[in-house]
Amino acid sequence: MTHGIISAAQPEAAEAGADILASGGNAVDAAVAAALVQTAVDPQMCGIAGFGCMHIYMPSRNAHVCLDFHGRAPLAARPDMWADRVIGEAEDGYGFILEGRVNEVGYGAITSPMTLRALDHALQAYGTMQLQSLLAPAIAYCEEGFMVRPHVVTYWSQTANHGRIAHEQFLRQHPATAAIYIKPDGRLHRVGETLRNPDMGRTYRRIAEHGVEEFYSGAIAREIVADMSENGGMLRADDLAQVAVETNPPLRGTYRGLEITTNQPPGGGLLIVQMLNILENFDLQAMGHNSPDYIATVAEAMKIATVDKDRYIGDPRFVEVPVARLASKAYAAECAERIRRGEKQHVPRFNPGAPESKNTTHVNVADEHGTCVTVTHTLGQPSGIVTKGLGFMYNGAMAQFDPRPGRATSIAPGKSRFSALCPTIVFKEGKPVFVVGAPGNTYITMGVVQAILNAVDFGMNAQEAVSAPRFCATSDVIEISNRITRRAERELAARGYPMRRYPFGYHFSGVHALRLVGDAYDGGADPGRDGMAMSV
């Protein structure tokens, strides 16, 4: 590494970030350039009308912060507005199924668009370049098109499952959206074909010329508000005007003598700290990687953290989150003792049914000056809505609010819901040694914690850590990828665990990581996505 290293879920994004590093930009510049390209080449995973978290460590500025930009329920939203529409809750806790899909697809699904404001804020506060120049690669991919990759088609072709709508409906249901994604013969693009979105390119050119205020209070904002008003959307001018980034200190914990730094609620970092605290009480290495004992122990930690998340973690501006207790070593020791006694944590669900969608993306960057950036940004899930002529898709994050009033993640005007986004940096003796994050919604925290265990307890490099077979337990079921052995599955089933095997070799989030060894980094990109790691 001369200038830096980057790992991203799309090769186009990784290359864009690497080009910025090679031209003298810092890690923040590179992360923003990569994130903008991701909005063009993975437009259902993320977008300028999405949300996320950027975790920045910049020793030259003595800065270590998390830029939190979680989407907020529109000011017109009300706690009980969907209380009579509930059909059920997703099995893993990722959202609710409502009659008419009003929270899942369409104008009612949209929360405030945060990502563009956040990327610009990051540049102004910590970058060396301007948004105008960093938009250029994304504009080119919009106007000239990008080659449709396997993961994009895999997402588009995912069929209805346990009550969730088929992903293709996000692309077909609204005319302005279908005009971009549906070919004249009525089919979706295939792998290797070129998808162009000139409307998005024109929107980006307007932002490059007039700045982000064009989007939040200028002509683009007026087009957004007019579209929402005409089609029953809740988003209004006041929602756009109030969009702002929160700068927070990272949440800190320790694991086997290392410092863990991650994001605060309503992000998922508290689950990372809690699970690692519990697992520190066990000799995982002696159990053996992905042995039945290892899987059962880690799965119970996952279930305990999930139950606490469902009960307690929401927007701290609206609910009191017991961070100190959930992040404490004493509480973790109590949980570990329950696991040793053989207790199985039950994860309650309201009329369980639908599994999650995994509509998120990630970038990790480190530069020659020691700056590390790890950013996860997302649409939550696509709303399926594109304002005619603007090209970008809005987030569909209202689907993850609890439509039942009085709970930690219930709907309230201006409130953010829990998000599993957890961009994390691990330090040893004050120096970053592992930079990690993932897309994958509810699976994010579970994928990230396994990557940390792989690196710390089993000595894996970055690529090995993100490639090792994963499992997940966000319900009573232990879900396993197809590379977990059948022998382990049989033994866990004999212990009374419900098991579910997936056909995918790589599953349960798409983890990306950088590892520092001495003065050199190595990088890893999850093989289940289409991305790569590269240094310059």
Side-chain angles (χ1 to χ4, degrees):
M1 181 182 85
T2 301
H3 298 290
I5 186 170
I6 183 169
S7 174
Q10 307 82 8
E12 300 91 346
E15 187 174 355
D19 287 345
I20 295 301
L21 291 171
S23 67
N26 70 10
V28 175
D29 301 324
V32 170
L36 288 167
V37 167
Q38 288 174 324
T39 69
V41 304
D42 235 339
Q44 277 69 59
M45 296 294 109
C46 62
I48 57 172
F51 61 95
C53 177
M54 181 181 290
H55 186 168
I56 301 172
Y57 171 68
M58 184 175 283
S60 64
R61 295 264 301 274
N62 196 29
H64 191 178
V65 300
C66 288
L67 304 182
D68 291 315
F69 48 106
H70 299 283
R72 297 179 181 180
L75 298 174
R78 294 292 176 264
D80 61 351
M81 65 184 188
W82 292 332
D84 60 348
R85 290 176 173 261
V86 184
I87 295 173
E89 183 182 7
E91 180 184 306
D92 62 358
Y94 186 72
F96 287 77
I97 312 301
L98 303 187
E99 293 177 1
R101 313 290 184 177
V102 291
N103 66 332
E104 192 175 353
V105 61
Y107 286 87
I110 301 169
T111 66
S112 54
M114 306 292 289
T115 299
L116 179 63
R117 173 75 75 192
L119 298 180
D120 184 61
H121 176 89
L123 286 176
Q124 292 188 38
Y126 302 101
T128 67
M129 303 176 72
Q130 298 298 311
L131 187 71
Q132 179 180 16
S133 60
L134 296 182
L135 273 166
I139 291 171
Y141 281 114
C142 291
E143 295 177 344
E144 299 170 16
F146 71 93
M147 184 181 294
V148 175
R149 302 180 311 281
H151 186 265
V152 175
V153 171
T154 298
Y155 174 77
W156 287 346
S157 61
Q158 185 170 320
T159 58
N161 193 1
H162 297 289
R164 287 287 190 196
I165 66 171
H167 288 176
E168 190 170 332
Q169 289 188 40
F170 289 117
L171 307 179
R172 291 189 180 277
Q173 191 160 313
H174 185 64
T177 305
I180 298 169
Y181 295 102
I182 306 301
K183 295 176 72 70
D185 62 3
R187 65 174 177 85
L188 292 169
H189 291 74
R190 299 189 177 105
V191 172
E193 294 182 342
T194 298
L195 174 64
R196 295 178 177 85
N197 190 345
D199 286 346
M200 186 189 288
R202 282 189 287 272
T203 296
Y204 284 4
R205 287 189 180 278
R206 292 168 67 182
I207 294 167
E209 182 178 357
H210 300 291
V212 298
E213 293 310 321
E214 178 79 354
F215 185 91
Y216 289 102
S217 60
I220 294 175
R222 290 190 288 274
E223 292 179 50
I224 292 171
V225 171
D227 187 26
M228 298 295 152
S229 299
E230 291 170 9
N231 291 282
M234 292 182 286
L235 208 64
R236 294 291 184 267
D238 286 350
D239 295 296
L240 295 176
Q242 293 183 24
V243 167
V245 178
E246 295 184 22
T247 301
N248 292 311
L251 179 66
R252 297 176 185 270
T254 62
Y255 181 69
R256 306 203 194 281
L258 303 174
E259 184 180 27
I260 309 299
T261 64
T262 186
N263 60 340
Q264 303 272 0
L270 182 54
L271 277 73
I272 297 295
V273 171
Q274 183 180 2
M275 288 187 286
L276 291 175
N277 281 345
I278 295 170
L279 295 170
E280 193 174 39
N281 292 275
F282 299 90
D283 188 346
L284 301 180
Q285 188 179 48
M287 293 179 184
H289 189 261
N290 283 351
S291 68
D293 285 343
Y294 177 85
I295 293 173
T297 301
V298 176
E300 287 301 327
M302 290 176 173
K303 292 197 291 179
I304 290 169
T306 295
V307 169
D308 286 339
K309 177 263 291 183
D310 290 345
R311 184 176 299 156
Y312 298 117
I313 303 180
D315 187 338
R317 296 176 302 118
F318 288 79
V319 296
E320 185 175 347
V321 183
V323 175
R325 171 167 168 74
L326 297 181
S328 72
K329 298 290 188 182
Y331 178 61
E334 295 174 14
C335 297
E337 185 56 33
R338 287 157 49 192
I339 296 173
R340 285 198 182 92
R341 291 196 300 265
E343 295 182 15
K344 291 185 176 68
Q345 175 69 57
H346 168 59
V347 183
R349 288 284 173 251
F350 177 71
N351 189 23
E356 66 168 340
S357 301
K358 294 167 281 297
N359 316 322
T360 311
T361 195
H362 190 82
V363 180
N364 297 311
V365 190
D367 67 25
E368 59 191 316
H369 307 294
T371 298
C372 300
V373 180
T374 173
V375 54
T376 312
H377 62 121
T378 181
L379 293 181
Q381 66 181 42
S383 65
I385 298 300
V386 172
T387 294
K388 185 176 180 179
L390 295 184
F392 63 86
M393 186 172 287
Y394 298 95
N395 72 76
M398 288 298 293
Q400 284 73 58
F401 279 103
D402 193 327
R404 302 167 298 173
R407 291 166 170 80
T409 56
S410 296
I411 300 167
K415 183 180 180 181
S416 297
R417 47 82 165 179
F418 168 80
S419 170
L421 309 176
C422 56
T424 298
I425 304 176
V426 179
F427 289 81
K428 181 178 182 180
E429 299 174 352
K431 192 172 186 178
V433 293
F434 198 62
V435 181
V436 62
N441 290 338
T442 305
Y443 292 152
I444 290 173
T445 52
M446 308 313 170
V448 167
V449 80
Q450 287 176 84
I452 293 172
L453 298 177
N454 292 343
V456 174
D457 289 270
F458 297 95
M460 298 183 190
N461 64 33
Q463 189 60 59
E464 292 168 337
V466 304
S467 302
R470 287 193 291 273
F471 55 91
C472 186
T474 55
S475 69
D476 290 344
V477 178
I478 297 180
E479 302 173 284
I480 58 176
S481 65
N482 202 31
R483 293 183 300 138
I484 300 290
T485 66
R486 272 87 182 152
R487 179 180 299 176
E489 180 183 11
R490 288 193 297 270
E491 184 167 334
L492 289 164
R495 297 183 189 185
Y497 282 105
M499 304 295 295
R500 181 180 299 137
R501 179 176 292 273
Y502 285 81
F504 307 106
Y506 302 92
H507 199 38
F508 310 119
S509 75
V511 189
H512 293 71
L514 306 175
R515 184 186 68 146
L516 180 66
V517 181
D519 293 322
Y521 273 101
D522 58 67
D526 193 297
R529 304 280 171 145
D530 298 322
M532 66 179 181
M534 61 185 302
S535 60
V536 292

